[in-house]
């Protein structure tokens, strides 16, 4: 991605985009894109497979079943999101290329400028809170796993396979931070783009309110920009629709299982 283009993007979108780029996404070099993601996906897929094998030895304990389901569903969500974003990276880069055509909020009146600045500041604070919460959660999971000598997620029922258990411990402790980093960055990118869409509609609304009777040329510019925003929203839905669908499909059954386990206790 062109560094000049990235510099023109608002911070609430630029930082998550650069964070995802650290994993090799959005690069013009195909090897740089597919090699890191392929390694992560294969490692996580092996963790999911091992977790599914754990069900063979679970003694019908609801808590153990739900805990293992958390491992299966959680890492499956990461795998699916990585695959979707990797193969749809052109949609995401197209979004950023369109954003360079967005209007600058600094050209609005003072009241609107303050309002839009507060929106961006609030969005940035939400992103920082999400990153902080994710970092604390990952840190606690890894520390507890090392101290108690247990896998960070799921359970272990395959006694007598010490090498496989050691592989699971090491791979989960390595993959978990990368998975949390990826999910957090993708969610922050979604949040930042949503905020920018709201800002652009607010700018257009303010310009229309200040429109005079003889502003025919201005009307053409406003209509063109409105079409640009609508096209951007359509591309935004194309980029994130499948990601959100996977979230609903996987999180729904997991929440039901956790509620069932809570009532059983």
């Amino acid at each position: 991605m062109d560094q000049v283009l990235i510099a023109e993007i608002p911070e609430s979108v630029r930082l998550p985009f650069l964070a995802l780029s650290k994993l090799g996404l959005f690069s013009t070099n195909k090897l740089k894109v597919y090699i890191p993601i392929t390694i992560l996906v294969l490692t996580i897929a092996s963790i999911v497979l091992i977790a599914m094998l754990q069900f063979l030895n679970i003694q019908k304990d609801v808590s153990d079943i739900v805990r293992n389901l958390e491992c299966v569903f959680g890492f499956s969500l990461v795998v699916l999101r990585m695959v979707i974003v990797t193969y749809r990276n052109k949609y995401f880069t197209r979004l950023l290329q369109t954003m360079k055509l967005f209007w600058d909020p600094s050209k609005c009146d003072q009241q609107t400028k303050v309002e839009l600045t507060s929106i961006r500041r609030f969005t940035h604070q939400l992103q920082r809170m999400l990153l902080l919460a994710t970092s604390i959660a990952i840190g606690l999971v890894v520390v507890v796993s090392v101290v108690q000598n247990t896998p960070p997620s799921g359970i272990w029922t395959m006694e007598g396979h010490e090498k496989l258990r050691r592989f699971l411990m090491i791979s989960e402790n390595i993959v978990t931070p990368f998975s949390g980093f990826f999910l957090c960055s993708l969610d922050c990118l979604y949040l930042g783009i949503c905020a920018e869409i709201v800002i652009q509609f607010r700018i257009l609304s303010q310009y229309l309110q200040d429109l005079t009777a003889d502003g025919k040329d201005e009307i053409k510019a406003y209509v063109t920009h409105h079409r640009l925003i609508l096209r951007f929203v359509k591309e935004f839905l194309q980029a994130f629709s499948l990601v959100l669908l996977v979230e609903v499909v996987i999180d729904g059954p997991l929440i039901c299982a956790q509620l069932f386990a809570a009532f059983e206790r």
Side-chain angles (χ1 to χ4, degrees), residues 8-211:
E8 297 176 352
I9 301 171
E11 188 179 48
S12 58
V13 178
R14 182 176 68 251
L15 294 181
F17 182 84
L18 291 176
L20 290 172
S21 299
K22 298 296 183 181
L23 296 176
L25 296 170
F26 314 125
S27 174
T28 55
N29 188 340
K30 295 300 182 182
L31 293 177
K32 189 177 179 181
V33 173
Y34 290 112
I35 290 179
I37 295 298
T38 301
I39 294 173
L40 282 173
V41 167
L42 291 177
T43 305
I44 297 174
S46 65
I47 293 174
V48 173
L49 179 61
I50 294 174
M52 294 177 68
L53 292 175
Q54 306 293 322
F55 287 110
L56 298 176
N57 299 321
I58 293 179
Q59 302 299 323
K60 296 184 179 180
D61 189 327
V62 175
S63 299
D64 289 343
I65 293 175
V66 172
R67 186 179 175 188
N68 213 41
L69 281 174
E70 291 176 353
C71 178
V72 173
F73 285 157
F75 282 114
S76 296
L77 175 64
V78 176
V79 168
L80 291 174
R81 276 193 164 194
M82 284 185 175
V83 171
I84 292 170
V85 175
T86 301
Y87 286 96
R88 290 195 162 197
N89 64 80
K90 62 179 181 180
Y91 292 103
F92 294 90
T93 54
R94 192 184 303 163
L95 287 176
L96 270 67
Q97 291 170 351
T98 305
M99 288 186 70
K100 69 179 182 179
L101 303 176
F102 278 1
W103 283 341
D104 189 355
S106 62
K107 297 180 180 180
C108 300
D109 58 40
Q110 186 61 30
Q111 181 179 357
T112 305
K113 189 189 304 182
V114 171
E115 177 186 346
L116 300 182
T117 302
S118 65
I119 293 175
R120 283 184 172 173
R121 186 182 297 113
F122 179 69
T123 302
H124 187 60
Q125 290 175 350
L126 289 178
Q127 291 173 332
R128 292 180 61 182
M129 289 176 59
L130 179 59
L131 178 60
L132 178 61
T134 303
S135 302
I136 293 175
I138 292 174
L140 291 175
V141 167
V142 172
V143 170
V144 171
S145 171
V146 173
V147 172
Q148 296 184 351
N149 195 26
T150 58
S153 64
I155 59 175
W156 182 253
T157 62
M158 301 174 67
E159 302 298 337
H161 298 82
E162 190 60 30
K163 291 184 178 180
L164 185 61
R165 181 177 182 276
R166 190 177 299 113
F167 166 78
L168 183 65
M169 287 278 297
I170 295 173
S171 59
E172 281 199 22
N173 280 306
I174 293 175
V175 166
T176 299
F178 283 102
S179 301
F181 179 77
F182 171 80
L183 294 177
C184 180
S185 300
L186 189 61
D187 290 340
C188 288
L189 180 63
Y190 179 84
L191 180 60
I193 294 177
C194 287
E196 290 304 314
I197 293 174
V198 172
I199 288 173
Q200 290 304 307
F201 275 114
R202 182 65 186 87
I203 295 174
L204 182 61
S205 175
Q206 190 260 313
Y207 282 1
L208 290 174
Q209 291 175 4
D210 298 338
L211 185 64

